[in-house]
Amino acid sequence: MSHILGARLVPNEQVRIAPTEIGGIGPKEATQVRYRLGISENIKVNESTKYQIDQIERIIGQDHVVHWELKRGKRADIERFIPISCYRGIRHQDGLPLRGQRTHTNARTCRKFGIVPIGAKRKNDGDPSHANKYEGYQYFFPSN
């Protein structure tokens, strides 16, 4: 059983298809890697040598952005949006769709974990400026 960058390669798959199991490597990149190494198109993973698999791993590692780096970059982008309070940052923070999707009847999956209901206001966290609007009022009911 061969592994490349934490992804298990299926032994009966061709070398041009097997690296697509790695996040960030598609069919085009896998074919380019195979072509750069001069590996035959029809050779399977279990027929290739340990040296060839190491070469594939080396080329993918140095030339391509793979799954954990992609996730780290995506998370860094989200973390950049939140402090500047741009629209996408606010929607990420509230757990709502951010590309213009409808939220009245759909978007249940992003709202079902109780992040923020659509019509509800944000929690005031003890801020007196957001106190109950009727707090401190005296009600006057005139008698007959």
Side-chain angles (χ1 to χ4, degrees):
M1 189 63 55
S2 299
H3 293 276
I4 293 181
L5 299 170
R8 192 175 74 191
L9 301 181
V10 179
N12 291 332
E13 271 188 352
Q14 295 176 348
V15 174
R16 66 184 173 93
I17 297 171
T20 58
E21 296 294 322
I22 303 167
I25 303 294
K28 187 173 181 179
E29 289 87 6
T31 303
Q32 288 173 349
V33 168
R34 180 200 55 81
Y35 183 75
R36 280 180 59 188
L37 292 174
I39 298 173
S40 173
E41 191 173 311
N42 298 323
I43 192 169
K44 297 191 176 192
V45 173
N46 57 1
E47 297 171 358
S48 62
T49 63
K50 177 70 175 158
Y51 177 74
Q52 288 174 332
I53 292 175
D54 290 340
Q55 290 290 86
I56 291 171
E57 185 172 9
R58 183 183 59 79
I59 287 180
I60 289 175
Q62 74 185 30
D63 293 344
H64 299 284
V65 179
V66 290
H67 59 94
W68 62 84
E69 294 170 357
L70 286 173
K71 288 180 183 179
R72 187 181 326 137
K74 189 174 179 182
R75 187 69 207 159
D77 289 342
I78 293 170
E79 292 298 326
R80 184 174 48 92
F81 291 143
I82 291 173
I84 63 174
S85 297
C86 69
Y87 179 79
R88 286 178 62 187
I90 292 168
R91 301 296 279 189
H92 271 294
Q93 197 171 23
D94 291 345
L96 296 170
L98 45 122
R99 294 185 180 171
Q101 291 93 336
R102 177 185 177 93
T103 58
H104 180 72
T105 57
N106 295 334
R108 296 282 183 228
T109 55
C110 65
R111 293 189 291 126
K112 75 177 172 183
F113 297 113
I115 297 171
V116 172
I118 292 294
K121 298 193 184 225
R122 300 183 113 179
K123 188 177 175 184
N124 63 8
D125 295 329
D127 186 11
S129 64
H130 296 291
N132 187 356
K133 67 179 183 178
Y134 298 113
E135 192 173 297
Y137 283 79
Q138 293 182 351
Y139 297 101
F140 175 71
F141 296 105
S143 60
N144 294 24

